[in-house]
Amino acid sequence: MEIQEYLRLFVEQVRATSILEWLAVGFGITEVLLAKRNHIGLYPMGIIAILLSLYLKLNAKLYAESLLSMYYLVMSIYGWVIWSKRKANKQAALPVSWTTKKELQIAFAIAIGGYFILYFALINFTDSDVPILDAFVSSVAWAGMWLLARRKIENWIFLNVSNIVAIPLMWHKNFVMFALLTLFLFIVAIFGYFDWKKIYKKQLLSKK
């Protein structure tokens, strides 16, 4: 297929993008930019994006991705409550830190255990046509979101492993804007990783 044909198909898909998908993408971009800045506003923006994307993914039979959105919702509320409580008690915001060995083991347990559970469920209880990719993207992102809520630098690594697989998955499901959003998230996450490393170093210097 020639480049012109790819461009024509791309333009057609963009034009066919629903208003809900545009809104979900907009709030999703806002969320990740706020996350990169380590700003509490990422949570309300993320919750709106999650609810919109959840509706769209259920209609597209992306069941594991839908469960991932539900998990995102829970973790967003969890992270928002933790941060809000610390601010209410006039405590410093939850500090950025590296993952401990125990936390890393938990993260891998979430990713690996989640994959097998989701894959089994997708194969046996749904009509999913992409069970392997759907389960992988969701389970790895589960672990990444858990680390994000705890302000662990490695969350960006887990989320990007999920993102790199989610891009072709979204494209396969004709979610062009979600695919582009995921590509954007992938790029931002790279910068987020290095920004959080800088934040961590500043925290260490402030304690001296």
Side-chain angles (χ1 to χ4, degrees):
M1 188 180 294
E2 296 182 356
I3 296 178
Q4 291 86 347
E5 183 65 14
Y6 277 118
L7 290 175
R8 184 185 67 79
L9 290 174
F10 174 74
V11 171
E12 288 180 357
Q13 288 179 311
V14 170
R15 288 176 177 173
T17 300
S18 68
I19 295 177
L20 285 181
E21 189 175 344
W22 279 108
L23 288 172
V25 168
F27 282 108
I29 290 174
T30 304
E31 175 197 8
V32 75
L33 290 176
L34 290 171
K36 178 175 174 291
R37 294 176 56 192
N38 196 31
H39 191 284
I40 192 174
L42 76 96
Y43 292 115
M45 294 297 102
I47 288 172
I48 297 173
I50 289 165
L51 293 174
L52 292 173
S53 64
L54 176 60
Y55 174 80
L56 294 168
K57 289 173 183 177
L58 281 172
N59 285 338
K61 299 180 180 180
L62 285 171
Y63 302 114
E65 276 281 303
S66 298
L67 285 174
L68 174 60
S69 293
M70 294 177 189
Y71 177 77
Y72 279 174
L73 181 61
V74 172
M75 294 307 295
S76 294
I77 295 172
Y78 168 70
W80 197 0
V81 169
I82 288 178
W83 193 322
S84 297
K85 283 184 177 179
R86 294 180 70 92
K87 290 187 70 176
N89 295 329
K90 296 183 179 180
Q91 294 176 301
L94 188 65
V96 170
S97 62
W98 289 102
T99 305
T100 64
K101 183 178 180 180
K102 182 177 180 180
E103 289 170 331
L104 192 59
Q105 290 173 341
I106 294 174
F108 274 111
I110 292 172
I112 297 172
Y115 172 80
F116 285 109
I117 292 172
L118 288 173
Y119 180 75
F120 176 82
L122 290 171
I123 288 293
N124 292 282
F125 303 110
T126 76
D127 56 351
S128 173
D129 59 343
V130 284
I132 295 177
L133 294 180
D134 200 4
F136 179 85
V137 168
S138 300
S139 60
V140 176
W142 280 5
M145 280 298 292
W146 181 75
L147 291 172
L148 174 61
R150 300 177 70 85
R151 291 294 188 270
K152 300 299 177 179
I153 298 173
E154 289 88 347
N155 88 85
W156 298 109
I157 297 175
F158 277 80
L159 291 176
N160 254 1
V161 171
S162 174
N163 286 335
I164 199 66
V165 178
I167 294 170
L169 177 60
M170 292 296 104
W171 191 274
H172 171 71
K173 285 295 182 177
N174 294 319
F175 283 141
V176 178
M177 296 313 299
F178 277 159
L180 292 178
L181 170 62
T182 307
L183 176 60
F184 175 76
L185 299 181
F186 178 84
I187 295 171
V188 172
I190 294 174
F191 289 99
Y193 174 80
F194 290 106
D195 283 352
W196 279 34
K197 285 179 66 176
K198 292 178 182 178
I199 292 172
Y200 176 73
K201 291 179 180 179
K202 288 181 180 179
Q203 290 173 175
L204 292 179
L205 291 175
S206 66
K207 292 179 180 179
K208 294 181 178 180

Short mmCIF file of all heavy atoms in Angstrom, two decimals, residues 115-141:
data_model
loop_
_atom_site.label_atom_id
_atom_site.label_comp_id
_atom_site.label_asym_id
_atom_site.label_seq_id
_atom_site.Cartn_x
_atom_site.Cartn_y
_atom_site.Cartn_z
N TYR A 115 -1.77 -11.03 34.30
CA TYR A 115 -1.80 -11.50 32.91
C TYR A 115 -2.51 -12.84 32.81
O TYR A 115 -3.41 -13.03 31.97
CB TYR A 115 -0.39 -11.63 32.35
CG TYR A 115 -0.38 -12.29 30.98
CD1 TYR A 115 -0.70 -11.55 29.85
CD2 TYR A 115 -0.12 -13.65 30.85
CE1 TYR A 115 -0.75 -12.15 28.60
CE2 TYR A 115 -0.17 -14.26 29.60
CZ TYR A 115 -0.48 -13.51 28.48
OH TYR A 115 -0.55 -14.12 27.26
N PHE A 116 -2.11 -13.80 33.64
CA PHE A 116 -2.71 -15.13 33.55
C PHE A 116 -4.20 -15.13 33.92
O PHE A 116 -5.00 -15.82 33.29
CB PHE A 116 -1.94 -16.11 34.44
CG PHE A 116 -0.61 -16.52 33.87
CD1 PHE A 116 0.57 -16.07 34.43
CD2 PHE A 116 -0.55 -17.33 32.74
CE1 PHE A 116 1.79 -16.43 33.90
CE2 PHE A 116 0.68 -17.69 32.19
CZ PHE A 116 1.85 -17.24 32.77
N ILE A 117 -4.55 -14.32 34.89
CA ILE A 117 -5.96 -14.22 35.28
C ILE A 117 -6.79 -13.62 34.14
O ILE A 117 -7.85 -14.14 33.78
CB ILE A 117 -6.12 -13.37 36.56
CG1 ILE A 117 -5.50 -14.11 37.76
CG2 ILE A 117 -7.59 -13.06 36.82
CD1 ILE A 117 -5.43 -13.28 39.02
N LEU A 118 -6.28 -12.53 33.58
CA LEU A 118 -7.01 -11.87 32.50
C LEU A 118 -7.08 -12.74 31.25
O LEU A 118 -8.12 -12.83 30.60
CB LEU A 118 -6.34 -10.53 32.17
CG LEU A 118 -6.50 -9.42 33.21
CD1 LEU A 118 -5.64 -8.22 32.83
CD2 LEU A 118 -7.96 -9.01 33.33
N TYR A 119 -5.97 -13.37 30.91
CA TYR A 119 -5.96 -14.23 29.71
C TYR A 119 -6.96 -15.37 29.86
O TYR A 119 -7.73 -15.66 28.93
CB TYR A 119 -4.56 -14.79 29.48
CG TYR A 119 -4.46 -15.68 28.26
CD1 TYR A 119 -4.47 -15.14 26.98
CD2 TYR A 119 -4.40 -17.06 28.40
CE1 TYR A 119 -4.40 -15.95 25.85
CE2 TYR A 119 -4.33 -17.89 27.29
CZ TYR A 119 -4.33 -17.32 26.02
OH TYR A 119 -4.27 -18.14 24.92
N PHE A 120 -6.97 -16.00 31.01
CA PHE A 120 -7.91 -17.09 31.27
C PHE A 120 -9.35 -16.59 31.15
O PHE A 120 -10.20 -17.25 30.54
CB PHE A 120 -7.67 -17.66 32.67
CG PHE A 120 -8.64 -18.74 33.06
CD1 PHE A 120 -8.46 -20.05 32.64
CD2 PHE A 120 -9.76 -18.44 33.84
CE1 PHE A 120 -9.37 -21.05 32.99
CE2 PHE A 120 -10.67 -19.43 34.20
CZ PHE A 120 -10.48 -20.74 33.76
N ALA A 121 -9.62 -15.44 31.74
CA ALA A 121 -10.97 -14.88 31.70
C ALA A 121 -11.38 -14.52 30.27
O ALA A 121 -12.52 -14.79 29.86
CB ALA A 121 -11.06 -13.66 32.61
N LEU A 122 -10.47 -13.93 29.53
CA LEU A 122 -10.78 -13.52 28.16
C LEU A 122 -11.05 -14.72 27.26
O LEU A 122 -11.96 -14.70 26.42
CB LEU A 122 -9.63 -12.68 27.58
CG LEU A 122 -9.44 -11.30 28.19
CD1 LEU A 122 -8.14 -10.67 27.70
CD2 LEU A 122 -10.62 -10.39 27.87
N ILE A 123 -10.26 -15.76 27.43
CA ILE A 123 -10.41 -16.96 26.61
C ILE A 123 -11.71 -17.71 26.92
O ILE A 123 -12.40 -18.21 26.02
CB ILE A 123 -9.20 -17.90 26.81
CG1 ILE A 123 -7.95 -17.31 26.15
CG2 ILE A 123 -9.48 -19.29 26.23
CD1 ILE A 123 -8.02 -17.24 24.64
N ASN A 124 -12.04 -17.79 28.18
CA ASN A 124 -13.16 -18.63 28.60
C ASN A 124 -14.50 -17.93 28.77
O ASN A 124 -15.54 -18.58 28.71
CB ASN A 124 -12.80 -19.33 29.92
CG ASN A 124 -11.69 -20.35 29.75
OD1 ASN A 124 -11.92 -21.45 29.26
ND2 ASN A 124 -10.47 -19.98 30.14
N PHE A 125 -14.48 -16.62 28.99
CA PHE A 125 -15.74 -15.95 29.32
C PHE A 125 -16.09 -14.78 28.41
O PHE A 125 -17.09 -14.10 28.66
CB PHE A 125 -15.69 -15.46 30.77
CG PHE A 125 -15.44 -16.56 31.76
CD1 PHE A 125 -14.23 -16.63 32.43
CD2 PHE A 125 -16.39 -17.55 32.01
CE1 PHE A 125 -13.97 -17.64 33.35
CE2 PHE A 125 -16.15 -18.56 32.92
CZ PHE A 125 -14.94 -18.62 33.59
N THR A 126 -15.26 -14.49 27.40
CA THR A 126 -15.57 -13.37 26.50
C THR A 126 -15.37 -13.79 25.04
O THR A 126 -14.85 -14.87 24.76
CB THR A 126 -14.67 -12.15 26.78
OG1 THR A 126 -13.35 -12.38 26.25
CG2 THR A 126 -14.57 -11.86 28.27
N ASP A 127 -15.76 -12.90 24.15
CA ASP A 127 -15.55 -13.14 22.72
C ASP A 127 -14.38 -12.28 22.21
O ASP A 127 -14.34 -11.91 21.03
CB ASP A 127 -16.82 -12.83 21.93
CG ASP A 127 -17.32 -11.40 22.17
OD1 ASP A 127 -16.78 -10.73 23.07
OD2 ASP A 127 -18.26 -10.97 21.47
N SER A 128 -13.43 -11.99 23.08
CA SER A 128 -12.27 -11.17 22.70
C SER A 128 -11.50 -11.82 21.56
O SER A 128 -11.26 -13.03 21.56
CB SER A 128 -11.34 -10.99 23.91
OG SER A 128 -10.14 -10.34 23.52
N ASP A 129 -11.08 -11.01 20.59
CA ASP A 129 -10.28 -11.52 19.48
C ASP A 129 -8.80 -11.17 19.64
O ASP A 129 -7.98 -11.48 18.78
CB ASP A 129 -10.80 -10.97 18.14
CG ASP A 129 -10.77 -9.45 18.09
OD1 ASP A 129 -10.66 -8.81 19.16
OD2 ASP A 129 -10.86 -8.88 16.97
N VAL A 130 -8.46 -10.52 20.77
CA VAL A 130 -7.05 -10.17 21.02
C VAL A 130 -6.71 -10.46 22.49
O VAL A 130 -6.21 -9.56 23.19
CB VAL A 130 -6.78 -8.69 20.68
CG1 VAL A 130 -6.69 -8.46 19.19
CG2 VAL A 130 -7.85 -7.78 21.29
N PRO A 131 -6.93 -11.66 22.98
CA PRO A 131 -6.73 -11.94 24.40
C PRO A 131 -5.30 -11.78 24.90
O PRO A 131 -5.08 -11.30 26.02
CB PRO A 131 -7.20 -13.39 24.54
CG PRO A 131 -7.02 -13.97 23.18
CD PRO A 131 -7.37 -12.86 22.24
N ILE A 132 -4.33 -12.15 24.08
CA ILE A 132 -2.92 -12.08 24.52
C ILE A 132 -2.49 -10.63 24.71
O ILE A 132 -1.97 -10.25 25.76
CB ILE A 132 -2.00 -12.79 23.51
CG1 ILE A 132 -2.30 -14.29 23.48
CG2 ILE A 132 -0.53 -12.55 23.87
CD1 ILE A 132 -1.49 -15.06 22.44
N LEU A 133 -2.72 -9.81 23.67
CA LEU A 133 -2.32 -8.40 23.76
C LEU A 133 -3.13 -7.64 24.79
O LEU A 133 -2.59 -6.83 25.56
CB LEU A 133 -2.46 -7.73 22.39
CG LEU A 133 -1.53 -8.22 21.28
CD1 LEU A 133 -1.80 -7.44 20.00
CD2 LEU A 133 -0.07 -8.08 21.69
N ASP A 134 -4.43 -7.89 24.81
CA ASP A 134 -5.31 -7.20 25.75
C ASP A 134 -4.90 -7.50 27.19
O ASP A 134 -4.82 -6.59 28.04
CB ASP A 134 -6.75 -7.65 25.50
CG ASP A 134 -7.78 -6.66 26.06
OD1 ASP A 134 -7.37 -5.60 26.56
OD2 ASP A 134 -8.98 -6.95 25.99
N ALA A 135 -4.62 -8.77 27.48
CA ALA A 135 -4.23 -9.16 28.84
C ALA A 135 -2.86 -8.59 29.21
O ALA A 135 -2.66 -8.13 30.34
CB ALA A 135 -4.20 -10.69 28.95
N PHE A 136 -1.93 -8.58 28.26
CA PHE A 136 -0.59 -8.08 28.54
C PHE A 136 -0.60 -6.59 28.83
O PHE A 136 -0.03 -6.13 29.83
CB PHE A 136 0.35 -8.36 27.36
CG PHE A 136 1.75 -7.86 27.58
CD1 PHE A 136 2.68 -8.63 28.26
CD2 PHE A 136 2.14 -6.61 27.11
CE1 PHE A 136 3.97 -8.16 28.47
CE2 PHE A 136 3.42 -6.13 27.32
CZ PHE A 136 4.34 -6.91 28.01
N VAL A 137 -1.24 -5.83 27.95
CA VAL A 137 -1.30 -4.37 28.13
C VAL A 137 -1.90 -4.02 29.48
O VAL A 137 -1.38 -3.17 30.21
CB VAL A 137 -2.13 -3.73 26.99
CG1 VAL A 137 -2.45 -2.27 27.32
CG2 VAL A 137 -1.38 -3.81 25.67
N SER A 138 -2.98 -4.68 29.82
CA SER A 138 -3.69 -4.34 31.04
C SER A 138 -2.92 -4.73 32.30
O SER A 138 -2.83 -3.95 33.24
CB SER A 138 -5.06 -5.03 31.04
OG SER A 138 -5.83 -4.60 29.94
N SER A 139 -2.36 -5.95 32.32
CA SER A 139 -1.68 -6.42 33.53
C SER A 139 -0.42 -5.61 33.84
O SER A 139 -0.16 -5.28 35.00
CB SER A 139 -1.33 -7.90 33.39
OG SER A 139 -0.49 -8.14 32.28
N VAL A 140 0.36 -5.28 32.82
CA VAL A 140 1.57 -4.49 33.04
C VAL A 140 1.20 -3.07 33.48
O VAL A 140 1.85 -2.49 34.36
CB VAL A 140 2.44 -4.45 31.77
CG1 VAL A 140 3.66 -3.54 31.97
CG2 VAL A 140 2.92 -5.86 31.41
N ALA A 141 0.14 -2.52 32.89
CA ALA A 141 -0.31 -1.18 33.29
C ALA A 141 -0.85 -1.18 34.72
O ALA A 141 -0.72 -0.19 35.43
CB ALA A 141 -1.37 -0.66 32.32
#
